[in-house]
Amino acid sequence: MIFRQTRHIILLVLLAGLALFATKDFWFFPAQGIEVSFMSQTEKPITYKVFYTTSDKDSFNANQKMTRSAKAGKQKIRMVLPIGEIVNFRLDLGQFPQKLTISDLTIRGTKTVSLDKLSDFTLHQIDGFYQKGKFFRFNSKKENPYIVYKFPLKLYSQPLHIDYYIFFIILVISFLAAHKIVQYLAQFKFKEKTSRIDIVFVTAFFVLLFIPMMKISDAEKSDKENRMLAKYVPFIKNNQINLKYSTNFESWYNDRFFGRDTLIKIYSFLEQTINPNRGNKNGLIGKDGWLFATSFNSINMYRHDNLFNESELHTIGENLMQFIKEAKKRGVKEVYFYLSNDKESLYGEYYPSWIKQLDQPSRLEQLYAYIKENYPSIKIFNFANELRDIKKQGEVLFFKAGTHMNPVGAFYEYHFLMQEIRKDFPNLIPLTLSDFKITKENIDDKDIYKALNLSDTTYNSENFKNKKLNFINKMNTKWNENRFQKTYRRLTFHNDTVNNSYKLVTLNDSFLIYYKDILGRTFSDITLNFWTSGKPFTVPQEACSYWSKKNNADILLVTTTERFLDRFLTLKYPCADR
């Protein structure tokens, strides 16, 4: 009897110990050194180097450095320095010349230090720099540009740490689960004749419960989902109990458990195989690799089920007339309005067949016809018919996996707009396709692809190939940028090589951004006022100084995409009432 009880106790301890080991990422946090992290955005691949010293007497040397390569584009950089203390800090900025932006530069140890002031650094071999908030932008033609933090950090690494609260909870649960298994094993010989499979099922069940806990991801951002992952919030924080601990823990665990990405791929594959017409709240899977957004009431827009009423149409007409009046009071010569079609309107044949259109005009067609009939003096354009003619010639005008027009579609929007504007400004010389070298490359706007959690196993990467327009005559098209809010920024560009002195000012969303560099080759001065998302064209107070004085623009162009036509219900000339 004593021997049998001893075996039970040993087995109980072993099973509970195995459970604690499998879940160690939840309660055991070994010393990791000092972490340096920042967001990198570059045009070309780059290699960063962090030099550090652990004493006031040391100088920077090759024995105290860490190197990390980064791909082109936007990427989170994270380096863990294997040291117990850092005093001095230097960041080498890699290969130039190119445009380089870093942001959210942070060093973490026993405390977190945000290095968010460029004035706190000494700059070496850097020709130009710019700071906006936590964003640092650098230009250099030198071989080894770098920045050095002026002040001693004296920051210590986070020591080995055990979360005893979580350890105790897992310990208790492990012993209870182990006790149940041991008890069941003890009775196995009595159940063997009638229920042999039960013991296999119970054992496998409890083993499977611990597999997702075997490795917890420490990533800060999901590149696939393009979002920051939930952070762990302890049960006791700042000597106070976290009453939302269960919710915080669930969010953290759901973002980081072992095998999560594989499960998402399997789910996406099964979802597309079983019901290829199905999407989610952000996107739809159409035919032949075409993906469509579902945000901003896009399905109803495609169905022609969201028409304006008479009162709304009248309001929009009056708003446009008042906008023109205010603009011309400030020296603007001509105002143009452009209604850009969304993908659904031009490629509706690829929309899921289970969604049917109503037999009536679309919202855009309704508004365009109303303004043409009731306000003939307003210069408003829509080129759906012209773009459909280009499409019939075999050109693809939109990214299959994204929201926006591809380079070819953006060029033709520009082309048709310039043909209309040139009627009032004859010295305007638009670019033609002969100004470009056209190549076919693997490029895409992938916002819908990411929203649907697709991967190369569930989506043909051939759909990413598009024609790319490369300028034959290269020139520096560096835009000056001012950010006023997350949803509004202003881009300006001056070009003294064109044969006109026309000044263009725009109110636009992201569609126009795809041909902004072509506009930069067409006008002598451009100011793009750019809104993201579905926000109205409302200028924040801190940006009103630009609009409150004489604008003196030759051309004021207001563009909006089909899904955001509601902007015209509240449209006013910027800051006219301030």
Side-chain angles (χ1 to χ4, degrees):
M1 176 70 73
I2 296 175
F3 177 70
R4 187 170 61 188
Q5 290 179 342
T6 302
R7 284 190 304 169
H8 289 178
I9 293 172
I10 292 173
L11 188 57
L12 184 68
V13 171
L14 287 174
L15 288 173
L18 180 63
L20 283 172
F21 178 77
T23 60
K24 67 181 184 303
D25 286 344
F26 288 89
W27 54 269
F28 179 73
F29 305 95
Q32 291 188 337
I34 293 173
E35 179 185 285
V36 177
S37 65
F38 57 91
M39 189 66 71
S40 163
Q41 185 159 0
T42 63
E43 295 177 311
K44 299 182 291 188
I46 195 169
T47 300
Y48 293 102
K49 295 178 184 178
V50 167
F51 287 83
Y52 55 87
T53 71
T54 56
S55 167
D56 289 325
K57 299 178 181 179
D58 293 342
S59 58
F60 295 118
N61 61 78
N63 295 323
Q64 292 181 307
K65 75 171 182 180
M66 179 166 284
T67 301
R68 182 62 45 86
S69 297
K71 58 187 180 183
K74 195 171 184 179
Q75 183 179 350
K76 179 76 173 184
I77 304 297
R78 178 175 176 268
M79 306 185 207
V80 179
L81 309 179
I83 53 176
E85 178 184 4
I86 184 171
V87 177
N88 297 312
F89 171 77
R90 163 181 157 181
L91 177 62
D92 284 34
L93 300 175
Q95 295 80 13
F96 279 83
Q98 66 170 306
K99 293 179 182 178
L100 166 66
T101 301
I102 65 173
S103 60
D104 298 301
L105 179 56
T106 304
I107 301 181
R108 295 183 181 89
T110 48
K111 62 180 181 179
T112 298
V113 179
S114 295
L115 310 184
D116 53 9
K117 294 181 180 179
L118 204 51
S119 58
D120 290 342
F121 288 88
T122 302
L123 310 183
H124 295 265
Q125 297 192 20
I126 292 175
D127 299 325
F129 58 89
Y130 168 78
Q131 177 176 0
K132 180 67 175 180
K134 295 183 179 181
F135 288 82
F136 303 159
R137 183 172 297 162
F138 300 103
N139 293 312
S140 177
K141 296 181 180 179
K142 308 295 194 309
E143 293 184 358
N144 186 29
Y146 62 91
I147 59 176
V148 179
Y149 195 60
K150 294 179 180 178
F151 312 105
L153 289 165
K154 294 192 178 298
L155 185 64
Y156 300 93
S157 67
Q158 182 72 38
L160 182 147
H161 172 63
I162 296 176
D163 191 327
Y164 290 102
Y165 302 100
I166 302 302
F167 175 81
F168 180 74
I169 292 171
I170 293 176
L171 179 65
V172 171
I173 294 174
S174 300
F175 265 103
L176 291 175
H179 173 69
K180 189 66 178 177
I181 293 174
V182 170
Q183 188 180 46
Y184 196 84
L185 286 171
Q187 300 174 15
F188 174 58
K189 64 180 180 180
F190 300 108
K191 295 190 175 187
E192 184 177 8
K193 293 181 181 180
T194 58
S195 184
R196 181 176 296 181
I197 195 64
D198 284 358
I199 188 64
V200 177
F201 174 78
V202 171
T203 304
F205 173 77
F206 279 99
V207 170
L208 289 173
L209 282 180
F210 288 106
I211 288 178
M213 308 178 195
M214 291 176 61
K215 183 172 178 58
I216 302 299
S217 172
D218 61 354
E220 294 187 7
K221 182 180 179 180
S222 169
D223 292 330
K224 180 67 178 175
E225 299 174 56
N226 195 29
R227 68 177 180 89
M228 302 303 294
L229 301 179
K231 294 184 178 181
Y232 178 74
V233 182
F235 182 67
I236 302 293
K237 185 177 182 180
N238 299 327
N239 295 322
Q240 292 184 335
I241 296 176
N242 177 14
L243 299 179
K244 295 183 178 180
Y245 177 76
S246 60
T247 303
N248 296 146
F249 181 85
E250 182 180 11
S251 299
W252 173 79
Y253 180 72
N254 288 342
D255 275 359
R256 299 170 183 277
F257 67 83
F258 177 66
R260 179 178 183 273
D261 289 343
T262 302
L263 285 177
I264 290 175
K265 287 181 181 179
I266 293 172
Y267 173 81
S268 297
F269 174 76
L270 292 175
E271 183 179 53
Q272 187 177 12
T273 302
I274 295 170
N275 187 355
N277 291 323
R278 189 178 176 187
N280 60 25
K281 65 180 181 179
N282 296 312
L284 286 172
I285 300 174
K287 304 168 189 173
D288 195 26
W290 285 84
L291 309 179
F292 297 92
T294 56
S295 54
F296 304 107
N297 209 22
S298 293
I299 293 179
N300 282 338
M301 181 193 70
Y302 167 77
R303 294 187 69 245
H304 303 175
D305 193 24
N306 60 343
L307 301 185
F308 292 111
N309 59 42
E310 284 296 321
S311 174
E312 290 173 329
L313 290 170
H314 177 74
T315 297
I316 291 175
E318 293 301 310
N319 285 349
L320 299 188
M321 289 296 293
Q322 184 62 28
F323 185 96
I324 295 170
K325 180 181 177 181
E326 294 289 342
K328 293 197 171 182
K329 279 169 52 177
R330 290 163 175 78
V332 176
K333 293 185 176 63
E334 290 292 347
V335 179
Y336 303 94
F337 300 94
Y338 176 55
L339 312 181
S340 180
N341 290 90
D342 280 342
K343 186 198 291 188
E344 292 83 349
S345 292
L346 295 181
Y347 288 91
E349 67 270 27
Y350 297 107
Y351 216 66
S353 55
W354 54 273
I355 300 176
K356 306 297 183 183
Q357 281 186 331
L358 300 178
D359 187 18
Q360 59 187 19
S362 70
R363 198 183 206 199
L364 187 150
E365 292 167 340
Q366 178 203 26
L367 175 61
Y368 184 66
Y370 179 87
I371 297 298
K372 282 292 188 182
E373 180 179 352
N374 295 280
Y375 297 89
S377 64
I378 295 177
K379 296 184 178 182
I380 188 167
F381 309 119
N382 171 251
F383 303 121
N385 292 331
E386 291 86 345
L387 291 170
R388 288 189 180 103
D389 288 340
I390 299 297
K391 176 185 163 188
K392 289 176 183 177
Q393 298 173 21
E395 295 288 3
V396 178
L397 305 177
F398 275 84
F399 291 114
K400 281 191 171 184
T403 302
H404 298 93
M405 281 190 158
N406 63 20
V408 172
F411 171 81
Y412 279 109
E413 269 206 349
Y414 156 86
H415 170 75
F416 293 126
L417 266 173
M418 294 305 106
Q419 295 305 315
E420 293 295 335
I421 293 174
R422 194 179 183 186
K423 294 175 182 178
D424 299 316
F425 298 90
N427 290 333
L428 190 68
I429 303 177
L431 273 65
T432 66
L433 285 176
S434 63
D435 293 303
F436 301 92
K437 179 182 178 182
I438 301 176
T439 58
K440 196 164 186 178
E441 300 182 18
N442 214 32
I443 56 172
D444 206 88
D445 174 281
K446 298 183 180 179
D447 53 349
I448 310 175
Y449 171 88
K450 292 179 179 178
L452 286 164
N453 291 316
L454 297 178
S455 66
D456 289 344
T457 60
T458 58
Y459 188 76
N460 187 354
S461 59
E462 287 294 310
N463 293 319
F464 296 145
K465 288 188 177 178
N466 290 272
K467 287 184 178 178
K468 184 178 180 182
L469 276 57
N470 305 284
F471 289 112
I472 293 175
N473 297 318
K474 298 188 180 299
M475 64 175 286
N476 180 20
T477 53
K478 179 184 176 182
W479 292 77
N480 296 312
E481 180 176 337
N482 291 295
R483 290 180 178 267
F484 297 96
Q485 290 180 349
K486 289 183 178 180
T487 58
Y488 170 60
R489 54 190 171 121
R490 180 177 297 144
L491 306 173
T492 58
F493 181 71
H494 174 72
N495 183 2
D496 55 10
T497 66
V498 297
N499 295 324
N500 65 67
S501 57
Y502 296 142
K503 179 180 179 183
L504 171 70
V505 176
T506 72
L507 279 72
N508 64 274
D509 53 28
S510 56
F511 269 50
L512 185 143
I513 292 298
Y514 279 75
Y515 52 92
K516 69 179 178 65
D517 287 339
I518 306 179
L519 290 171
R521 302 288 189 103
T522 309
F523 295 91
S524 61
D525 283 281
I526 302 182
T527 301
L528 305 182
N529 295 279
F530 170 40
W531 281 261
T532 57
S533 302
K535 299 293 182 181
F537 290 146
T538 303
V539 174
Q541 184 65 45
E542 61 268 29
C544 274
S545 59
Y546 175 84
W547 298 95
S548 60
K549 55 188 177 182
K550 278 275 187 182
N551 197 302
N552 290 325
D554 296 288
I555 302 160
L556 178 53
L557 174 64
V558 182
T559 76
T560 187
T561 45
E562 190 168 357
R563 73 189 68 177
F564 298 145
L565 293 177
D566 281 344
R567 286 172 170 147
F568 287 154
L569 287 168
T570 57
L571 182 68
K572 294 181 180 179
Y573 189 86
C575 306
D577 54 352
R578 302 185 204 178

